[in-house]
Structures are given as structure tokens and as C-alpha cells.
Amino acid sequence: MFRRTVQLLLGLFLYGVALALIVRAAIGVAPWDVLTQGISLKTGWGFGAITIGVGIVVLLFWIPLKQKPGVGTVLNVLLVGPAADVGLWLIPENLDLWIRILMFPAGLFVLALATGLYIGARFGAGPRDGLMTGIHERTGWPIWVGRTGVEVFVLAAGWILGGNVGVGTVLFALLVGPLCNLTIPWFRIVLPGDTAQPGGVRDGLEGSVKPSEPLVDSPAN
């Protein structure tokens, strides 16, 4: 339990720092961060506060989809945004282009490591991936259909609001999956009662647990 908790918290903190690196690279960000940037530009609110707010709104959509959050889900909503704010405070804006070009892959790699740590702790799905798996389970559509549909909508909304869409957005979409598939097995903790090998639908998501896993830990976890 101690290792799982440390791994979860470290993963969430590094995830926020990775988002900050990608944002400061300023060559395009992930679809959900495009939306966050767009809302920030229109409201003047901070990146971290909006990240928390969007996470809470996404969790509300879990209710009709009958998804159940884990402790990792709640901590994801509460901690990634502030961690991103810390990273944005530490990393200056308007850096030279060559530095920003190096920052983007660094941020992407840190994000993949953070995802592996967070998923490997197995404390619950992140809010956005729980939304995707919920759509899959309620409709029977393939995961990629629900995920693509939601992220295209989010990307379009963020772009209309003024979020940063660029080559980095495309690179993120193409590379984050393969990188996370590489890092997730590195940190995956085997729990008592595990009977299947990793590699199912949820193992490549932001939190590889069943939606029925409880908010608090139990021996079955």
C-alpha cells in the first residue's frame, strides 16, 4: 500500500509538470489542454483551477454512465491542476525556439512515465478515461470511437476559444499512446487476486481498474 500510494502521488505530480513543459513549449498541446487554455483565455482563471473544474464536470458525466470513481480518480482531479501550476510557475514563458523544441519531447516523455506510475498504482481511472470506458460499456461502441469523438469535440471547442493547436497537438496524438504502452508495464503493480495478464481495454488508459473498484482500498485490490 505504501508503494502504491507513493507511486500514485509521484505520478500525478509528474503528470502536472509534464503538462507544464508541453504548454511552455508552445508548439501545440493535447486536446483537453487546448480546451483548458481556451477557457483560461476567456475567463482569466489559472490553468490549474480550470483543470480541476473540467475534471469535476467530466466526473458528473460518470453518473449516467454508471462509472464508480476510485481514490486515484479523485486525487487526479485535485492534484494534477496544482502540479501543473507549479510547473508553469517554475518554467518561464517565451523561451528560445530551440529550447521549446527540446521541451516538448521532454514533456511528452515525462508524461508517459507519469502515466505509467499513476496507472501502475491501480487506484482508479482518471476522469477522462473513465468517460471513454463508460461510453464504451453503455453503448458497445469501440473505445476509439468514443475517445475520438469526445476529443475532437473538446479540441474544436478549445480551438474556437483560442487554445493552442499546433504541430505538438498532432505529435501528442500520435506518440502518447505508444509511449504509454511502453511505460505502463514498467510500473504496474500486481495485486492479490490478479488472474489475467495486463493488456486489456483498461490497461492502456489513464487508470487501469474496473469501474466497480471502490473509493477505498480493500484486500481484493
Side-chain angles (χ1 to χ4, degrees):
M1 177 59 70
F2 177 75
R3 176 191 166 184
R4 291 176 66 198
T5 302
V6 171
Q7 186 169 312
L8 171 68
L9 296 176
L10 179 61
L12 293 176
F13 177 75
L14 290 178
Y15 198 99
V17 172
L19 292 182
L21 284 167
I22 293 171
V23 168
R24 287 291 190 245
I27 61 172
V29 296
W32 285 97
D33 297 323
V34 173
L35 177 63
T36 300
Q37 283 187 326
I39 296 173
S40 180
L41 288 171
K42 295 299 182 183
T43 64
W45 299 347
F47 188 92
I50 296 170
T51 299
I52 293 174
V54 170
I56 292 172
V57 171
V58 171
L59 278 183
L60 294 177
F61 284 98
W62 282 36
I63 298 173
L65 295 174
K66 298 184 178 179
Q67 298 291 287
K68 295 181 181 180
V71 67
T73 310
V74 177
L75 291 178
N76 181 294
V77 172
L78 296 178
L79 298 183
V80 169
D85 277 344
V86 170
L88 291 171
W89 176 68
L90 291 172
I91 305 168
E93 295 183 77
N94 302 318
L95 295 168
D96 292 341
L97 179 60
W98 70 270
I99 298 177
R100 292 190 285 113
I101 290 174
L102 293 177
M103 281 174 59
F104 183 86
L108 195 57
F109 182 70
V110 172
L111 187 141
L113 287 176
T115 301
L117 286 165
Y118 165 58
I119 290 178
R122 302 175 68 188
F123 272 117
R128 293 156 187 81
D129 283 323
L131 176 65
M132 310 307 170
T133 55
I135 292 172
H136 164 70
E137 288 163 4
R138 295 291 289 175
T139 65
W141 298 344
I143 284 285
W144 72 268
V145 172
R147 186 173 196 123
T148 301
V150 170
E151 295 203 357
V152 166
F153 174 80
V154 165
L155 178 63
W159 178 71
I160 290 171
L161 292 172
N164 182 13
V165 179
V167 64
T169 308
V170 177
L171 291 173
F172 187 97
L174 292 176
L175 298 177
V176 70
L179 285 173
C180 289
N181 282 338
L182 179 66
T183 60
I184 287 168
W186 294 353
F187 303 106
R188 188 178 190 272
I189 296 175
V190 178
L191 303 178
D194 282 352
T195 58
Q197 294 297 319
V201 168
R202 294 179 181 275
D203 276 340
L205 298 178
E206 194 177 329
S208 56
V209 298
K210 298 177 182 177
S212 58
E213 285 186 347
L215 193 61
V216 295
D217 197 46
S218 67
N221 278 352

